[in-house]
Amino acid sequence: MSTTPTVYDVAERSGVSIATVSRVYRNPDSVRAATRERVLAAARDLGYVPSGNARGLASRSTGILGLCFPDYSDPDAEASEADEEDAAMLYSDQIIRGMERAARRHGYALLIAASLKEGSAESLVAKVAGRVDGFAVLSRTVPTEELEIISRRQPVVMLAGPREDGEHADHLDHIEVANFDGQLELTRHLIDDHGLRRLAYIGSAEESPDVEARFRGYLAACRAAGLDPAHEPGLRARMMTQAEGAHIIDALLARGGPRPEALVFANDQLAVGALHALQERGLRVPDDLVVTGFDGIPLSRLVRPALTTVRQPMLRMGEEAVELLVRRLSGGRDTEPVSLMLPVTVARRESCGCGKPENGDPGVH
Amino acid sequence: MSTTPTVYDVAERSGVSIATVSRVYRNPDSVRAATRERVLAAARDLGYVPSGNARGLASRSTGILGLCFPDYSDPDAEASEADEEDAAMLYSDQIIRGMERAARRHGYALLIAASLKEGSAESLVAKVAGRVDGFAVLSRTVPTEELEIISRRQPVVMLAGPREDGEHADHLDHIEVANFDGQLELTRHLIDDHGLRRLAYIGSAEESPDVEARFRGYLAACRAAGLDPAHEPGLRARMMTQAEGAHIIDALLARGGPRPEALVFANDQLAVGALHALQERGLRVPDDLVVTGFDGIPLSRLVRPALTTVRQPMLRMGEEAVELLVRRLSGGRDTEPVSLMLPVTVARRESCGCGKPENGDPGVH
DNA sequence: CTGAAAGCGCTAACAG
DNA sequence: CTGTTAGCGCTTTCAG
């Protein structure tokens, strides 16, 4: 009644040994049909469910892949919970979906855990790491050092570019997107096609190779056009959320001086927050000011004006991460670290002055 | 090098017993600071990570909550993977997000697993059940019978209404939405406000109390208006996907006869599929035909014309599910089964003929 | 094809 | 505050 049934109970009730019970679940064909049925029947009667923990412990594998991601949720959005209308997919949602699909194809389940805003990230990875066969880490959710240690024991893939400071390459697998190229192309579009000259880049305070790469792409485009941007991101967001995007606008307008013609944000959420703030202050996008983002989250297409941005193949990143993990788990354990670079595409939409995008297709796409 | 370090290794290297090592991780304050540091240092050197499996086995709890959901993904969408543009959030994505958030607040991680299209669902639940402290099941992913057995051992909450056939109530907790009321109100709107009289309801072949309740709401509205609809859903979708929605349109147009004035679909994905199919055939919504959905997934607002639908509080369902599980896990184990009924709201948009909805607010909402 | 026995790595009383 | 001692429930050789 109160004690969960175990192999022993099932074994006893069906008159076999625990080994046989185990076999029935692990490799049914290795047991005579009659015996098997008897065991299964007993299990059903008892309400037996194999303990994943015991299994994992004994077999040293869980059939689970993991994902650690930062808490991207937007305080602002939370606040306006009038109705959960704004439930557009964020970056992490897409990665989750991609990973789940690929994991399922390979017979794995997915364990997801977001870093708590202030909590000890240590416990986070440790918790996940201890329960999965391998896992992915989104962005810099976890100190690289810790990951390197863990990766000695199980596959870890980082959903971000490798650190680039000199020679000290980590030994992790990486999946990144063409941050540099994408931001370069977008910026060039602003400069060449829209004739903008006074740009401002808004990066983030957190050290992220991806955001760095984007900034470098921005700089490269500026230099190529003979512009001389400040060498550091003019403004830095503390977090990459909508709320911060709005704050940036406050700061920008407060400081006076000549207003930039275009704000190039390091991600969509910042840009969207900025869009709202600008609108509240009576500034029109793109007429008074051009705004661009990066990521291509679905929300970027929902806002008005629709956000010009660089689209990352997020679903695919999730899938590739799983493929990589699975590959490592089945053999290729000690081949060289891999570093996949996925392509991006620039989405020219309204917020940069490109025509109403809801062209021909009246449908979803 | 090759063998993962265990408590024993850490204990030996730091000159304490395994019990102390364990304490350091479980309850740091119960160990003298100096000792603790020594242990932690040894752990760091060795690259020690506690085994979740062993922990779970010994302590009979995992710190993980689970979710089983059906594979809602759309074959159609997969096909048109030209770019993963269409990555709007589906029902399950929202539930996942809601659960993950709430789980995080309570210190749990979330394990998600979708039923394979043809695979043995048995293995699915069993796998999840064996690895979590409690879990939620979306819709009828799993046979109720199996769930009842499992629920004798661990909390299970069903994200759907309870079966209603007579007295045989299952002993599970349920979280459902006001399907009947919602569909009733929407249908009444169609009849009263738009003057439509020739309606057709498209349900699904799968037995689902929720879909049943929606149909009953539809019927009630029809009867109240003196309409005499067929007593069964005129058309039944085999799955609730966009592809099926398109097929339904084919079937409808193929069979000739007087065309209905309004198609009332049992969920948004069907309705969206229908929208596309209708458009391809040159029929205009809502002018030639009114279409409505149910769920209120973000996609419903994205399509053109925007879909009139009944909005479920999906995020909240996920959160409530976790709250319920957590409550059960901490004490309230053997109180009566709970059945939460969450309210819905009708979203009147373009597909029923209600004005352009992108009213005042030019922003996200 | 089936059984016996030895762990897997950790937690949880109990003693000290 | 720390060590000892039993298991937790299953997989896995190795025999039969």
Side-chain angles (χ1 to χ4, degrees), chain B residues 269-284:
Chain B
Q269 280 182 271
L270 285 173
V272 168
L275 239 35
H276 288 155
L278 286 169
Q279 173 194 310
E280 274 177 16
R281 282 158 193 66
L283 288 173
R284 305 177 31 134

Side-chain angles (χ1 to χ4, degrees), chain A residues 46-343:
Chain A
L46 261 26
Y48 168 74
V49 177
S51 151
N53 283 325
R55 258 167 124 132
L57 182 54
S59 67
R60 301 131 183 300
S61 90
T62 63
I64 300 182
L65 296 179
L67 170 68
C68 297
F69 60 100
D71 181 4
Y72 278 132
S73 78
D74 232 294
D76 262 17
E78 308 269 19
S80 77
E81 57 149 334
D83 233 312
E84 25 234 339
E85 271 264 35
D86 57 307
M89 269 192 134
L90 298 185
Y91 197 83
S92 50
D93 294 306
Q94 305 251 49
I95 300 281
I96 290 172
R97 188 140 112 191
M99 285 193 72
E100 195 283 321
R101 266 187 209 170
R104 193 195 316 163
R105 280 201 292 273
H106 289 284
Y108 285 93
L110 184 67
L111 179 66
I112 63 181
S115 58
L116 309 87
K117 231 137 200 154
E118 9 79 34
S120 52
E122 194 267 336
S123 64
L124 200 247
V125 227
K127 183 167 190 171
V128 171
R131 305 204 147 279
V132 303
D133 292 340
F135 65 102
V137 176
L138 199 43
S139 166
R140 311 217 140 285
T141 318
V142 179
T144 308
E145 193 177 50
E146 196 179 350
L147 289 182
E148 295 203 60
I149 293 180
I150 294 181
S151 74
R152 298 207 301 250
R153 262 82 217 188
Q154 67 188 293
V156 175
V157 43
M158 186 139 158
L159 262 19
R163 199 190 306 175
E164 304 207 348
D165 49 353
E167 295 304 294
H168 187 79
D170 55 39
H171 286 181
L172 304 174
D173 289 329
H174 288 266
I175 295 184
E176 63 181 317
V177 299
N179 289 293
F180 179 91
D181 295 344
Q183 192 70 76
L184 172 68
E185 187 184 334
L186 173 58
T187 309
R188 187 154 50 193
H189 167 65
L190 262 27
I191 297 173
D192 292 354
D193 303 342
H194 291 290
L196 304 170
R197 316 283 309 172
R198 226 164 42 246
L199 314 184
Y201 180 88
I202 296 89
S204 97
E206 46 182 296
E207 284 311 320
S208 150
D210 299 81
V211 172
E212 289 305 319
R214 290 173 201 174
F215 182 53
R216 286 188 290 101
Y218 164 82
L219 286 183
C222 287
R223 287 209 206 85
L227 304 185
D228 179 40
H231 263 247
E232 277 300 291
L235 298 160
R236 283 169 170 273
R238 284 163 314 175
M239 298 177 308
M240 315 244 313
T241 63
Q242 288 186 40
E244 268 297 298
H247 292 163
I248 292 289
I249 294 301
D250 288 343
L252 190 74
L253 297 185
R255 83 175 182 192
R259 191 203 299 148
E261 296 171 314
L263 299 179
V264 179
F265 285 90
N267 88 345
D268 285 348
Q269 280 181 268
L270 284 173
V272 168
L275 238 35
H276 288 156
L278 286 170
Q279 173 193 307
E280 273 177 17
R281 280 157 194 69
L283 287 173
R284 302 178 33 134
V285 176
D287 301 327
D288 298 330
L289 200 58
V290 158
V291 169
T292 67
F294 201 111
D295 279 351
I297 59 178
L299 177 60
S300 70
R301 224 180 42 228
L302 270 176
V303 292
R304 295 294 168 249
L307 191 63
T308 289
T309 188
V310 178
R311 236 162 38 204
Q312 298 193 42
M314 291 169 280
L315 261 183
R316 196 173 149 219
M317 290 181 72
E319 295 182 328
E320 295 286 359
V322 167
E323 296 300 338
L324 231 169
L325 289 174
V326 169
R327 217 172 305 145
R328 289 266 180 231
L329 285 172
S330 47
R333 190 87 53 154
D334 31 38
T335 42
E336 282 297 287
V338 173
S339 214
L340 253 187
M341 168 92 74
L342 268 27

Side-chain angles (χ1 to χ4, degrees), chain A residues 4 85 89 93 97 301, chain B residues 85 89 93 97 153 301:
Chain A
T4 36
E85 271 264 35
M89 269 192 134
D93 294 306
R97 188 140 112 191
R301 224 180 42 228
Chain B
E85 271 265 34
M89 271 192 134
D93 294 306
R97 187 139 113 193
R153 262 83 215 189
R301 221 179 45 227

Side-chain angles (χ1 to χ4, degrees), chain A residues 1-5 25 43-57 60-65 69 71 73-74 78 80 83-90 93-94 96-97 100-101 104-105 107-117 122 125-131 149-150 152-154 242 272 276 279 298-299 301-305 311-316 319 345 349 358 361-365, chain B residues 1-5 25 43-57 60-65 69 71 73-74 78 80 83-90 93-94 96-97 100-101 104-105 107-117 122 125-131 149-150 152-154 242 272 276 279 298-299 301-305 311-316 319 345 349 358 361-365:
Chain A
M1 186 77 243
S2 56
T3 155
T4 36
Y25 283 88
R44 206 154 18 232
D45 297 349
L46 261 26
Y48 168 74
V49 177
S51 151
N53 283 325
R55 258 167 124 132
L57 182 54
R60 301 131 183 300
S61 90
T62 63
I64 300 182
L65 296 179
F69 60 100
D71 181 4
S73 78
D74 232 294
E78 308 269 19
S80 77
D83 233 312
E84 25 234 339
E85 271 264 35
D86 57 307
M89 269 192 134
L90 298 185
D93 294 306
Q94 305 251 49
I96 290 172
R97 188 140 112 191
E100 195 283 321
R101 266 187 209 170
R104 193 195 316 163
R105 280 201 292 273
Y108 285 93
L110 184 67
L111 179 66
I112 63 181
S115 58
L116 309 87
K117 231 137 200 154
E122 194 267 336
V125 227
K127 183 167 190 171
V128 171
R131 305 204 147 279
I149 293 180
I150 294 181
R152 298 207 301 250
R153 262 82 217 188
Q154 67 188 293
Q242 288 186 40
V272 168
H276 288 156
Q279 173 193 307
L299 177 60
R301 224 180 42 228
L302 270 176
V303 292
R304 295 294 168 249
R311 236 162 38 204
Q312 298 193 42
M314 291 169 280
L315 261 183
R316 196 173 149 219
E319 295 182 328
T345 63
R349 301 200 276 233
E358 303 286 320
D361 183 2
V364 187
H365 299 296
Chain B
M1 184 77 240
S2 57
T3 153
T4 33
Y25 283 88
R44 204 149 25 228
D45 296 349
L46 262 26
Y48 168 75
V49 176
S51 151
N53 284 324
R55 260 170 126 135
L57 183 54
R60 300 130 180 302
S61 90
T62 63
I64 299 181
L65 261 24
F69 60 100
D71 180 4
S73 78
D74 233 293
E78 307 270 18
S80 77
D83 233 313
E84 26 234 340
E85 271 265 34
D86 57 306
M89 271 192 134
L90 299 185
D93 294 306
Q94 304 252 51
I96 290 171
R97 187 139 113 193
E100 195 283 321
R101 264 186 210 170
R104 190 194 320 162
R105 279 200 293 271
Y108 285 92
L110 184 66
L111 179 65
I112 63 181
S115 58
L116 309 88
K117 233 138 199 153
E122 196 266 336
V125 228
K127 183 168 191 170
V128 171
R131 304 202 148 281
I149 293 180
I150 294 180
R152 298 207 302 248
R153 262 83 215 189
Q154 67 187 290
Q242 288 186 39
V272 168
H276 288 155
Q279 173 194 310
L299 177 60
R301 221 179 45 227
L302 271 176
V303 291
R304 295 296 169 248
R311 234 161 40 205
Q312 298 192 43
M314 291 170 280
L315 261 182
R316 198 174 148 218
E319 295 182 329
T345 63
R349 301 202 276 233
E358 302 285 320
D361 182 1
V364 187
H365 301 294

Side-chain angles (χ1 to χ4, degrees), chain B residues 138-185:
Chain B
L138 198 43
S139 168
R140 312 217 140 283
T141 318
V142 180
T144 307
E145 194 178 49
E146 196 180 351
L147 289 181
E148 295 204 58
I149 293 180
I150 294 180
S151 74
R152 298 207 302 248
R153 262 83 215 189
Q154 67 187 290
V156 176
V157 42
M158 185 137 160
L159 262 19
R163 198 190 306 176
E164 304 208 347
D165 50 353
E167 295 304 295
H168 188 79
D170 55 39
H171 287 181
L172 304 174
D173 289 329
H174 288 266
I175 295 184
E176 63 182 318
V177 299
N179 289 294
F180 180 91
D181 296 344
Q183 192 70 76
L184 172 68
E185 187 184 333

